[in-house]
Amino acid sequence: MTESFITERLRQHFEGHETFTKKELSDFYSLLEPKLNENTFAWRIYNLKAKKIIRAVSKTEFSLSYKPVYKPDLDKKLKDIYMLVDREFPEVKKSIWSTRWVADFMLHIPGRYWTILEVEKESVETVFSFLKENKYKEVFLQPKTKEIDWYIAESAQPIIVKSLVSLAPLQKNKKISVPTLEKILLDIFVESELYNVFQGRELGVIFNNAYNKYQLNFSKLLAYAKRRGKEEELIEFMSNKTDIPRNFS
C-alpha cells in the first residue's frame, strides 16, 4: 500500500471534518496498518505535518486544511524604531508591532493606528526616555485610560512603550522580534482599555477572521492566556462569542 494511496484515503476519510483527534487519526491508520506501533504512528504524524497535509490545532487535535503562518509585513517606521532601540539596548528583550495589523481582520476599519513597542519591565522607562531624546514626539509610557482617551486617540502616529510579559509568544520577522498571532489576539482581549477600538462585536469578528485565515495554535494561545490569568475568560469568550470550534482546549 503506497504512501500516496494512504494520504488520499486520509483526505477522503476526514473530508468535511473541521478537526479530528489524535485517537481518530490512530483509528484510521489501524484500519490500513493493523500492526502499526506507537513509534511508527508518531513518525506518520510528523511526516504528514512536514508535508503540510495536516496541521496541529492543539496537542491532540488536527486539521486537514493547511493555513499559512501569520507573518505581517514590517513597514519602514517599525523597522527604524526597532533597530534604533536594538542598537542602543541589544541585550534587552523587545518586540514591536502595529495595530494596523489587526485591521486586516476587522469589519469596521479604524482611522488611526498605534505602534506598540514592548520591552522588559526593567527597561521600559529607559527606552521611553531614549525615544523621546531621539525626537519621537508622540511617545507614551504605559498609558492609562485618561491618557488613552485624551491624548493617544488624537495623536497621528503614537508610539506606546509598555512592559513585555515574560514568556510571551514572539517570532522573528527579518531579524526583528514581533508578536505571534496568538499574542496579538490575547493582548487585545485582555487589555480592553488600551485596545478599545477592537472591543465589542468587533472582537469576535477579529478572532473568527484570524482563525479562518491563518494557523492558530490553541495550545500556545491558552498557555499565554493562563500566564496572564485569563484562560477561563478566553475559553468562555471563544465558546460563546466566536464561530471557532469548541474543541480547542
Side-chain angles (χ1 to χ4, degrees), residues 188-204:
I188 65 176
F189 172 77
V190 172
E191 301 173 52
S192 57
E193 291 183 353
L194 178 57
Y195 303 112
N196 52 58
V197 72
F198 305 132
Q199 303 308 307
R201 293 182 62 185
E202 194 73 60
L203 190 61

mmCIF file of all heavy atoms in Angstrom, residues 188-204:
data_model
loop_
_atom_site.group_PDB
_atom_site.id
_atom_site.type_symbol
_atom_site.label_atom_id
_atom_site.label_comp_id
_atom_site.label_asym_id
_atom_site.label_seq_id
_atom_site.Cartn_x
_atom_site.Cartn_y
_atom_site.Cartn_z
ATOM 1 N N ILE A 188 -5.172 42.002 22.830
ATOM 2 C CA ILE A 188 -6.315 42.886 22.607
ATOM 3 C C ILE A 188 -7.540 42.403 23.372
ATOM 4 O O ILE A 188 -8.429 43.201 23.696
ATOM 5 C CB ILE A 188 -6.635 43.063 21.107
ATOM 6 C CG1 ILE A 188 -7.087 41.751 20.476
ATOM 7 C CG2 ILE A 188 -5.437 43.640 20.364
ATOM 8 C CD1 ILE A 188 -7.514 41.901 19.018
ATOM 9 N N PHE A 189 -7.586 41.114 23.696
ATOM 10 C CA PHE A 189 -8.670 40.570 24.510
ATOM 11 C C PHE A 189 -8.524 41.017 25.960
ATOM 12 O O PHE A 189 -9.491 41.447 26.604
ATOM 13 C CB PHE A 189 -8.684 39.044 24.423
ATOM 14 C CG PHE A 189 -9.652 38.386 25.372
ATOM 15 C CD1 PHE A 189 -11.011 38.374 25.091
ATOM 16 C CD2 PHE A 189 -9.201 37.781 26.536
ATOM 17 C CE1 PHE A 189 -11.909 37.781 25.968
ATOM 18 C CE2 PHE A 189 -10.092 37.182 27.418
ATOM 19 C CZ PHE A 189 -11.449 37.180 27.138
ATOM 20 N N VAL A 190 -7.305 40.942 26.478
ATOM 21 C CA VAL A 190 -7.051 41.257 27.888
ATOM 22 C C VAL A 190 -7.029 42.760 28.151
ATOM 23 O O VAL A 190 -7.644 43.250 29.100
ATOM 24 C CB VAL A 190 -5.717 40.623 28.348
ATOM 25 C CG1 VAL A 190 -5.351 41.102 29.748
ATOM 26 C CG2 VAL A 190 -5.812 39.107 28.314
ATOM 27 N N GLU A 191 -6.327 43.499 27.286
ATOM 28 C CA GLU A 191 -6.119 44.929 27.532
ATOM 29 C C GLU A 191 -7.179 45.756 26.802
ATOM 30 O O GLU A 191 -6.899 46.493 25.854
ATOM 31 C CB GLU A 191 -4.699 45.318 27.093
ATOM 32 C CG GLU A 191 -3.632 44.537 27.841
ATOM 33 C CD GLU A 191 -2.229 44.786 27.311
ATOM 34 O OE1 GLU A 191 -1.837 45.967 27.202
ATOM 35 O OE2 GLU A 191 -1.537 43.801 27.004
ATOM 36 N N SER A 192 -8.404 45.622 27.270
ATOM 37 C CA SER A 192 -9.551 46.231 26.583
ATOM 38 C C SER A 192 -9.517 47.754 26.608
ATOM 39 O O SER A 192 -10.051 48.405 25.708
ATOM 40 C CB SER A 192 -10.860 45.728 27.201
ATOM 41 O OG SER A 192 -10.906 45.998 28.589
ATOM 42 N N GLU A 193 -8.903 48.363 27.631
ATOM 43 C CA GLU A 193 -8.836 49.820 27.691
ATOM 44 C C GLU A 193 -7.872 50.364 26.641
ATOM 45 O O GLU A 193 -8.181 51.334 25.943
ATOM 46 C CB GLU A 193 -8.402 50.277 29.088
ATOM 47 C CG GLU A 193 -9.449 50.023 30.169
ATOM 48 C CD GLU A 193 -9.016 50.561 31.511
ATOM 49 O OE1 GLU A 193 -7.846 51.003 31.623
ATOM 50 O OE2 GLU A 193 -9.835 50.561 32.449
ATOM 51 N N LEU A 194 -6.718 49.740 26.523
ATOM 52 C CA LEU A 194 -5.731 50.194 25.554
ATOM 53 C C LEU A 194 -6.210 49.931 24.132
ATOM 54 O O LEU A 194 -6.097 50.786 23.255
ATOM 55 C CB LEU A 194 -4.389 49.485 25.796
ATOM 56 C CG LEU A 194 -3.257 49.821 24.826
ATOM 57 C CD1 LEU A 194 -2.971 51.318 24.809
ATOM 58 C CD2 LEU A 194 -1.994 49.039 25.188
ATOM 59 N N TYR A 195 -6.768 48.744 23.907
ATOM 60 C CA TYR A 195 -7.225 48.364 22.570
ATOM 61 C C TYR A 195 -8.744 48.473 22.474
ATOM 62 O O TYR A 195 -9.428 47.551 22.009
ATOM 63 C CB TYR A 195 -6.746 46.946 22.258
ATOM 64 C CG TYR A 195 -5.250 46.776 22.362
ATOM 65 C CD1 TYR A 195 -4.674 45.991 23.362
ATOM 66 C CD2 TYR A 195 -4.398 47.424 21.476
ATOM 67 C CE1 TYR A 195 -3.290 45.842 23.460
ATOM 68 C CE2 TYR A 195 -3.014 47.291 21.568
ATOM 69 C CZ TYR A 195 -2.472 46.491 22.565
ATOM 70 O OH TYR A 195 -1.106 46.352 22.660
ATOM 71 N N ASN A 196 -9.271 49.613 22.906
ATOM 72 C CA ASN A 196 -10.725 49.778 22.985
ATOM 73 C C ASN A 196 -11.417 49.729 21.631
ATOM 74 O O ASN A 196 -12.572 49.335 21.527
ATOM 75 C CB ASN A 196 -11.073 51.092 23.701
ATOM 76 C CG ASN A 196 -10.355 52.296 23.099
ATOM 77 O OD1 ASN A 196 -10.493 52.595 21.923
ATOM 78 N ND2 ASN A 196 -9.558 52.978 23.907
ATOM 79 N N VAL A 197 -10.708 50.095 20.567
ATOM 80 C CA VAL A 197 -11.324 50.109 19.240
ATOM 81 C C VAL A 197 -11.613 48.698 18.720
ATOM 82 O O VAL A 197 -12.384 48.513 17.780
ATOM 83 C CB VAL A 197 -10.417 50.874 18.245
ATOM 84 C CG1 VAL A 197 -9.173 50.064 17.916
ATOM 85 C CG2 VAL A 197 -11.170 51.224 16.966
ATOM 86 N N PHE A 198 -11.029 47.689 19.360
ATOM 87 C CA PHE A 198 -11.203 46.307 18.912
ATOM 88 C C PHE A 198 -12.236 45.536 19.738
ATOM 89 O O PHE A 198 -12.379 44.325 19.559
ATOM 90 C CB PHE A 198 -9.871 45.550 18.988
ATOM 91 C CG PHE A 198 -8.755 46.211 18.227
ATOM 92 C CD1 PHE A 198 -7.510 46.393 18.805
ATOM 93 C CD2 PHE A 198 -8.946 46.658 16.934
ATOM 94 C CE1 PHE A 198 -6.469 46.993 18.107
ATOM 95 C CE2 PHE A 198 -7.920 47.264 16.225
ATOM 96 C CZ PHE A 198 -6.685 47.438 16.810
ATOM 97 N N GLN A 199 -12.932 46.211 20.628
ATOM 98 C CA GLN A 199 -13.816 45.507 21.556
ATOM 99 C C GLN A 199 -15.237 45.346 20.999
ATOM 100 O O GLN A 199 -15.533 45.709 19.871
ATOM 101 C CB GLN A 199 -13.832 46.245 22.895
ATOM 102 C CG GLN A 199 -12.460 46.420 23.528
ATOM 103 C CD GLN A 199 -11.684 45.117 23.649
ATOM 104 O OE1 GLN A 199 -12.207 44.130 24.201
ATOM 105 N NE2 GLN A 199 -10.450 45.098 23.169
ATOM 106 N N GLY A 200 -16.108 44.779 21.834
ATOM 107 C CA GLY A 200 -17.497 44.540 21.445
ATOM 108 C C GLY A 200 -17.610 43.442 20.400
ATOM 109 O O GLY A 200 -16.825 42.487 20.385
ATOM 110 N N ARG A 201 -18.547 43.578 19.500
ATOM 111 C CA ARG A 201 -18.774 42.562 18.464
ATOM 112 C C ARG A 201 -17.565 42.444 17.534
ATOM 113 O O ARG A 201 -17.315 41.389 16.961
ATOM 114 C CB ARG A 201 -20.019 42.909 17.656
ATOM 115 C CG ARG A 201 -21.325 42.812 18.444
ATOM 116 C CD ARG A 201 -22.523 43.127 17.574
ATOM 117 N NE ARG A 201 -22.651 42.183 16.476
ATOM 118 C CZ ARG A 201 -23.560 42.306 15.519
ATOM 119 N NH1 ARG A 201 -24.398 43.328 15.520
ATOM 120 N NH2 ARG A 201 -23.631 41.397 14.549
ATOM 121 N N GLU A 202 -16.819 43.541 17.420
ATOM 122 C CA GLU A 202 -15.650 43.543 16.542
ATOM 123 C C GLU A 202 -14.617 42.516 16.994
ATOM 124 O O GLU A 202 -13.923 41.911 16.166
ATOM 125 C CB GLU A 202 -15.022 44.933 16.513
ATOM 126 C CG GLU A 202 -14.025 45.157 15.394
ATOM 127 C CD GLU A 202 -14.696 45.284 14.030
ATOM 128 O OE1 GLU A 202 -15.514 46.198 13.844
ATOM 129 O OE2 GLU A 202 -14.379 44.453 13.148
ATOM 130 N N LEU A 203 -14.528 42.296 18.301
ATOM 131 C CA LEU A 203 -13.538 41.352 18.820
ATOM 132 C C LEU A 203 -13.826 39.932 18.326
ATOM 133 O O LEU A 203 -12.911 39.190 17.956
ATOM 134 C CB LEU A 203 -13.524 41.389 20.353
ATOM 135 C CG LEU A 203 -12.387 40.640 21.044
ATOM 136 C CD1 LEU A 203 -11.029 41.204 20.639
ATOM 137 C CD2 LEU A 203 -12.537 40.707 22.567
ATOM 138 N N GLY A 204 -15.093 39.555 18.304
ATOM 139 C CA GLY A 204 -15.448 38.242 17.781
ATOM 140 C C GLY A 204 -15.142 38.121 16.302
ATOM 141 O O GLY A 204 -14.672 37.066 15.843
#
